[in-house]
Amino acid sequence: MLTKGLHLLSSSIFHRFASRSIASLSSLPGRRIRVRTNHPSFSFPFSPVISRPISSGKVLAMAEGTSSSTSSTSQKHTNRLAAEHSPYLLQHAHNPVDWYPWGEEAFEEARKRDVPIFLSIGYSTCHWCHVMEVESFEDEQVAKLLNDSFVSIKVDREERPDVDKVYMSFVQALYGGGGWPLSVFLSPDLKPLMGGTYFPPNDNYGRPGFKTLLRKVKDAWDTKRDTLVKSGTYAIEELSKALSANAETDKLPDELSRSAVSICAKQLSRSYDSKFGGFGSAPKFPRPVEIQLMLYHFKKLKDSGKASEAEEDQSMVLFSLQGMANGGMHDHIGGGFHRYSVDECWHVPHFEKMLYDQGQLANVYLDGFIITKDVMYSYVARDILDYLRRDMIAPEGGIFSAEDADSFEFEGANRKKEGAFYIWTSDEIDEVLGENSDLFKEHYYVKKSGNCDLSSMSDPHDEFAGKNVLIERNELSAMASKFSLSIDKYQEILGECRRKLFDVRLKRPKPHLDDKIIVSWNGLVISSFARASKILKAEPENTKYCFPVVNSQPEDYIEVAEKAALFIRGNLYDEQSHRLQHSYRQGPSKAPAFLDDYAFLITGLLDLYENGGGIEWLKWAIQLQEMQARGAYFNTQGQDPSVLLRVKEDHDGAEPSGNSVSAINLVRLASIVYGEKAKSYLNTAQRLLAVFELRLRELAVAVPLMCCAADMISVPSRKQVVLVGSNSSVELNNMLSTAHSVYDPNKTVIHIDPSSSDEMEFWEEHNSNVAEMAKKNRNSEKVVALVCQHFTCSPPVFDSSSLVRLLSK
């Protein structure tokens, strides 16, 4: 049977794999999809996504942050992971498995003992990682097998995405899918031999379990080592060829640049769910890049006079945003969004909360508000950002990465359950809400028997029998009318109910918080906080929000963005080398920053500047762009010999591709600076996109944000809004809000205070046109606004309504 498995590493498999472009290696649209993959060497079929464990009762107590595990073996064993900072590694610090962190000590031990490496990759809020820990890594018999015959390495994929990418690519190339925990066997020189994702501990249903697998791998190493090693070497060679995308020309063909967005929009439209919203079927992921693409296409159609087609795109987007906001994937009590919905109706989620989702979703809801002026969308954006402010920000300003799906049902419980912190019984709601209980229960579809019955996929194992995941299924106005209340009063009652339930929920054991601060994810959130500070000023006066939204001023949000940026600059940036580190927890991580860190942070800094932040953020963005350029847009800098592959990644999944974001950053920067520097940025963006020409042609739906970047390159001239006025003036703040009140992804906002020598010096160096505009339009009493293309500008205007008219042309 093992010989059959080894045959899968033959040239035919890798020849087929090598012919694909890189995006086909990327995971499914939701990068955190929990795929249960069984190793094909034992004739296991590839299994589909399993949304719930076979028996969640097996998920016993897990380590929380830096604390030791409460399982029975927690005090018997301590391994090398106890010295690490990663929450995920610390969760395994008291396993009987003799874990090593990724590094030379482990590699040397494998060479010295002449044994293979077992590599396990996951993250601290990963449900199936918890399952495999309890079932296998806490098991003394499994530990003995691993300790006797392998060197075991544990990696936090959020701390080392470069290591994860190498071995995830290997598993995906062989088996067509992947997920976490990732389980891979390596030679001592780190070549992959075989792998999969989650393995149950024992043989079952005719399938070998993890223990049997360990014995068979040991036997193969002892008896068929040459075949294994040759296959692993060949695998890396073929992966390297497939992943090292190169361009045949220096730019995309013009026709492809102009058509990529339309091609992608058509492909997405074919997968649109007209009943529940979203693109694709269950499990449903909030893939914000899809929304961004459809909105971009909507604007393009609208500008070209195709109003009815534009309306179709807009309605798909808005219905999808409404479906997500109404569904159980949205945390109605505490704010923010869970990772994804296991069913097609956005109801029952996988309950972990990831920072990268919050930042991107806040931005697309802000876009929804700009386009519609409907405060439903601004409410959801505020709901997300206020959740982050309340629960996810360190006192120093950095923003934490995730909250777990699993938690204890009550203090003293001996096992965790998925969603325990978030779900409710009907009796609990009656007890807490009293006279308003019936209103609340009808609004949120709460039932005595439990409400996870909207789809056969919602709760296939009846884990939530008698429990309710809150979901809104009726129109607000209809519900208010039914209870003979005004809409305002009805919303007020719901808000009071949510606050009461929130206070009760706070007494439950909280899910584990991964308090790691990741630069790339912070960049996404810096962007959304900065944009919210100006976009939300367009809300009608006296708009009132109910809990979990705080009735704060929009300006409060930019303070959060600036504090997060200051944290990164102060703790994860070297002023001399201009290099970033990837993450922070009790100090900077060992890993240098990756492409996503530079790209996403640059976006955040550009948004911070364009929405009223100081010139220092624009200066830093330019500095980081210069540093990033040295990495040639690979995912890593290529300085770590233990990372066997450098990848030019394109897939826009749950997180956008660093290359897609970089291309857009370059276009934005080219519209800010002038002359040779602007040409250089555009030429770099053209070369970057040319690398991915095949992907843009053949599977645009895999790269929606890159399609937007390609179109931006084709736009004859990006619109520039130049505002001249005192930084301290209320009028400048108001005009900035006006500049951001019209949806236009091909617009750059520049603001300059002619009384600031620092700003004037910057613009004299980088764009003398802007400096000249500031001199000519200096007005001590009013803010002057100019709308320009190629810095050929309209006559100046001095009020918001005039600026809106110019922007709407």
Side-chain angles (χ1 to χ4, degrees):
M1 299 294 282
L2 186 59
T3 304
K4 178 183 176 184
L6 295 176
H7 182 68
L8 287 176
L9 292 170
S10 68
S11 59
S12 62
I13 288 287
F14 274 94
H15 175 76
R16 184 168 71 249
F17 162 67
S19 68
R20 306 173 189 165
S21 77
I22 176 177
S24 57
L25 299 176
S26 300
S27 53
L28 299 172
R31 300 261 290 268
R32 293 180 175 277
I33 192 166
R34 290 170 297 164
V35 177
R36 182 174 176 179
T37 310
N38 294 303
H39 195 273
S41 62
F42 304 117
S43 301
F44 289 178
F46 180 80
S47 301
V49 176
I50 295 178
S51 60
R52 303 279 166 215
I54 291 172
S55 174
S56 64
K58 293 180 179 178
V59 184
L60 305 176
M62 303 295 167
E64 292 283 349
T66 57
S67 65
S68 61
S69 171
T70 56
S71 67
S72 60
T73 60
S74 61
Q75 303 308 314
K76 285 176 61 178
H77 305 281
T78 299
N79 56 55
R80 293 166 185 79
L81 301 185
E84 295 297 305
H85 290 171
S86 157
Y88 178 62
L89 300 189
L90 290 168
Q91 284 174 347
H92 295 77
H94 298 287
N95 295 165
V97 177
D98 187 17
W99 292 112
Y100 286 77
W102 183 264
E104 185 55 38
E105 182 185 5
F107 312 152
E108 175 58 31
E109 181 68 11
R111 291 192 293 266
K112 183 175 72 176
R113 289 174 51 196
D114 194 27
V115 295
I117 291 168
F118 170 65
L119 173 64
S120 177
I121 303 178
Y123 55 100
S124 78
T125 58
C126 164
H127 174 79
W128 281 98
C129 300
H130 298 337
V131 174
M132 194 164 178
E133 180 192 7
V134 169
E135 291 180 339
S136 292
F137 304 144
E138 290 284 2
D139 183 273
E140 298 279 356
Q141 187 179 2
V142 171
K144 179 170 174 53
L145 289 169
L146 283 169
N147 296 341
D148 289 350
S149 303
F150 302 88
V151 168
S152 299
I153 298 178
K154 180 65 75 170
V155 166
D156 182 341
R157 59 91 46 192
E158 293 170 353
E159 195 172 63
R160 293 302 303 261
D162 53 339
V163 175
D164 177 64
K165 183 63 184 177
V166 174
Y167 301 106
M168 184 64 77
S169 295
F170 167 76
V171 169
Q172 288 172 330
L174 287 184
Y175 314 135
W180 295 277
L182 187 66
S183 304
V184 189
F185 296 93
L186 317 179
S187 63
D189 62 352
L190 309 181
K191 304 295 194 307
L193 307 176
M194 59 186 71
T197 57
Y198 162 82
F199 292 99
N202 299 309
D203 301 352
N204 208 349
Y205 304 108
R207 297 177 177 182
F210 190 52
K211 296 172 189 174
T212 299
L213 174 63
L214 293 175
R215 294 185 183 102
K216 287 185 177 291
V217 173
K218 179 187 183 306
D219 180 65
W221 181 255
D222 292 340
T223 61
K224 298 182 177 69
R225 181 179 311 191
D226 288 347
T227 304
L228 280 174
V229 171
K230 286 178 183 177
S231 296
T233 301
Y234 183 72
I236 285 296
E237 289 173 352
E238 294 300 311
L239 280 166
S240 182
K241 291 175 188 176
L243 296 171
S244 56
N246 291 297
E248 295 182 3
T249 62
D250 284 341
K251 67 189 292 287
L252 284 176
D254 291 342
E255 53 83 16
L256 181 58
S257 287
R258 290 191 295 267
S259 63
V261 164
S262 298
I263 293 169
C264 186
K266 287 177 183 175
Q267 292 175 351
L268 281 173
S269 297
R270 286 197 289 267
S271 68
Y272 175 66
D273 181 346
S274 59
K275 184 175 182 180
F276 297 108
F279 302 93
S281 56
K284 276 192 175 170
F285 292 83
R287 192 182 174 209
V289 290
E290 295 172 335
I291 301 293
Q292 289 176 271
L293 181 285
M294 296 302 288
L295 287 178
Y296 190 104
H297 191 235
F298 147 78
K299 180 69 163 65
K300 191 173 180 179
L301 290 170
K302 185 179 178 184
D303 289 348
S304 61
K306 298 177 181 177
S308 62
E309 294 176 52
E311 177 64 29
E312 288 179 20
D313 280 7
Q314 178 178 314
S315 65
M316 282 190 275
V317 166
L318 298 181
F319 187 59
S320 298
L321 291 176
Q322 290 162 11
M324 289 192 292
N326 292 339
M329 196 180 74
H330 180 201
D331 179 3
H332 297 278
I333 299 301
F337 280 77
H338 299 296
R339 179 71 277 273
Y340 63 86
S341 168
V342 304
D343 51 48
E344 70 278 13
C345 46
W346 303 110
H347 184 198
V348 179
H350 172 46
F351 287 90
E352 67 182 329
K353 287 182 174 180
M354 306 305 303
L355 185 61
Y356 58 78
D357 282 327
Q358 315 308 326
Q360 292 180 90
L361 285 168
N363 266 333
V364 293
Y365 279 99
L366 288 170
D367 288 338
F369 172 67
I370 294 172
I371 292 166
T372 66
K373 300 299 186 275
D374 184 339
V375 294
M376 187 283 284
Y377 300 100
S378 64
Y379 171 87
V380 179
R382 282 179 176 266
D383 162 293
I384 295 167
L385 299 177
D386 288 348
Y387 151 66
L388 294 176
R389 289 201 298 172
R390 183 171 52 245
D391 291 346
M392 297 296 286
I393 299 180
E396 301 82 5
I399 305 173
F400 301 140
S401 63
E403 288 189 294
D404 207 335
D406 301 351
S407 58
F408 295 109
E409 288 188 283
F410 51 87
E411 293 293 345
N414 65 354
R415 62 188 176 101
K416 291 185 177 183
K417 286 189 174 182
E418 185 171 7
F421 184 72
Y422 299 102
I423 56 180
W424 301 90
T425 65
S426 177
D427 289 345
E428 285 175 319
I429 290 172
D430 288 338
E431 183 179 346
V432 175
L433 300 185
E435 63 179 2
N436 290 322
S437 174
D438 288 343
L439 179 151
F440 185 89
K441 289 196 295 184
E442 185 158 354
H443 184 87
Y444 286 108
Y445 187 59
V446 173
K447 302 197 301 182
K448 187 81 171 177
S449 58
N451 72 353
C452 300
D453 55 4
L454 295 178
S455 166
S456 60
M457 302 184 72
S458 297
D459 188 23
H461 303 293
D462 293 324
E463 292 182 66
F464 296 145
K467 302 295 177 65
N468 293 271
V469 177
L470 303 184
I471 181 172
E472 295 178 284
R473 302 184 69 206
N474 299 300
E475 288 290 333
L476 187 68
S477 57
M479 292 297 294
S481 176
K482 180 174 181 176
F483 285 91
S484 302
L485 296 168
S486 68
I487 290 178
D488 285 347
K489 184 61 178 177
Y490 185 79
Q491 287 180 308
E492 182 182 325
I493 291 171
L494 285 177
E496 291 170 359
C497 291
R498 289 193 295 266
R499 183 183 290 277
K500 288 179 180 179
L501 290 171
F502 178 83
D503 291 340
V504 169
R505 200 172 80 171
L506 278 180
K507 297 173 185 177
R508 297 174 175 177
K510 290 199 72 176
H512 158 67
L513 169 69
D514 189 325
D515 56 357
K516 185 164 65 268
I517 296 164
I518 298 173
V519 169
S520 57
W521 299 357
N522 272 248
L524 294 172
V525 174
I526 288 169
S527 170
S528 57
F529 272 109
R531 294 184 72 229
S533 71
K534 295 301 175 287
I535 292 169
L536 294 178
K537 286 180 70 66
E539 293 171 320
E541 283 190 37
N542 302 317
T543 298
K544 292 182 180 179
Y545 288 120
C546 303
F547 191 84
V549 170
V550 178
N551 275 299
S552 55
Q553 295 302 308
E555 291 86 352
D556 296 341
Y557 290 120
I558 203 165
E559 294 179 10
V560 178
E562 290 189 317
K563 197 171 180 182
L566 284 169
F567 177 88
I568 293 170
R569 181 143 197 165
N571 294 277
L572 291 164
Y573 181 65
D574 188 313
E575 296 283 356
Q576 278 68 49
S577 69
H578 297 168
R579 292 185 184 275
L580 289 164
Q581 295 297 111
H582 172 62
S583 63
Y584 184 97
R585 187 176 187 274
Q586 300 176 1
S589 66
K590 300 170 188 174
F594 306 107
L595 171 63
D596 289 1
D597 295 308
Y598 285 95
F600 297 1
L601 180 58
I602 290 167
T603 293
L605 295 174
L606 291 176
D607 284 330
L608 191 47
Y609 166 73
E610 287 197 40
N611 286 276
I615 196 72
E616 67 271 15
W617 303 123
L618 179 54
K619 289 180 180 178
W620 193 23
I622 291 172
Q623 195 176 68
L624 289 172
Q625 187 62 60
E626 297 302 311
M627 189 65 234
Q628 183 194 326
R630 302 179 199 175
Y633 303 101
F634 285 93
N635 63 330
T636 70
Q637 297 174 7
Q639 297 175 333
D640 186 342
S642 72
V643 180
L644 303 185
L645 296 174
R646 291 183 79 200
V647 177
K648 289 183 179 178
E649 189 166 7
D650 62 353
H651 180 67
D652 294 318
E655 299 168 61
S657 158
N659 275 304
S660 300
V661 174
S662 293
I664 293 173
N665 288 342
L666 288 162
V667 172
R668 294 177 70 181
L669 285 166
S671 71
I672 291 173
V673 302
Y674 192 69
E676 290 303 313
K677 194 65 180 175
K679 291 179 184 176
S680 174
Y681 284 140
L682 286 175
N683 289 338
T684 301
Q686 286 277 19
R687 289 194 300 273
L688 185 161
L689 292 170
V691 170
F692 304 107
E693 178 180 346
L694 187 63
R695 176 54 58 198
L696 287 163
R697 284 192 187 279
E698 293 187 350
L699 196 61
V701 72
V703 287
L705 198 62
M706 189 168 287
C707 291
C708 294
D711 192 85
M712 288 178 182
I713 287 281
S714 75
V715 172
S717 179
R718 190 173 174 89
K719 192 177 291 182
Q720 296 130 337
V721 183
V722 181
L723 303 176
V724 181
S726 170
N727 288 330
S728 60
S729 71
V730 174
E731 288 78 10
L732 179 63
N733 195 37
N734 291 337
M735 288 290 262
L736 276 167
S737 298
T738 301
H740 291 286
S741 68
V742 176
Y743 177 76
D744 187 351
N746 281 301
K747 174 186 67 188
T748 296
V749 177
I750 294 169
H751 56 92
I752 179 169
D753 184 344
S755 67
S756 167
S757 57
D758 190 34
E759 291 188 32
M760 291 299 292
E761 182 180 329
F762 172 86
W763 290 110
E764 289 284 6
E765 178 184 352
H766 290 89
N767 193 331
S768 58
N769 290 319
V770 173
E772 192 63 26
M773 278 187 258
K775 292 173 186 174
K776 287 183 177 179
N777 294 282
R778 184 167 185 163
N779 188 318
S780 59
E781 296 181 1
K782 294 182 178 180
V783 174
V784 179
L786 304 102
V787 178
C788 315
Q789 289 184 292
H790 282 317
F791 295 99
T792 300
C793 304
S794 65
V797 296
F798 306 94
D799 61 88
S800 293
S801 58
S802 299
L803 178 56
V804 167
R805 281 196 296 272
L806 283 175
L807 292 174
S808 299
K809 284 185 178 179

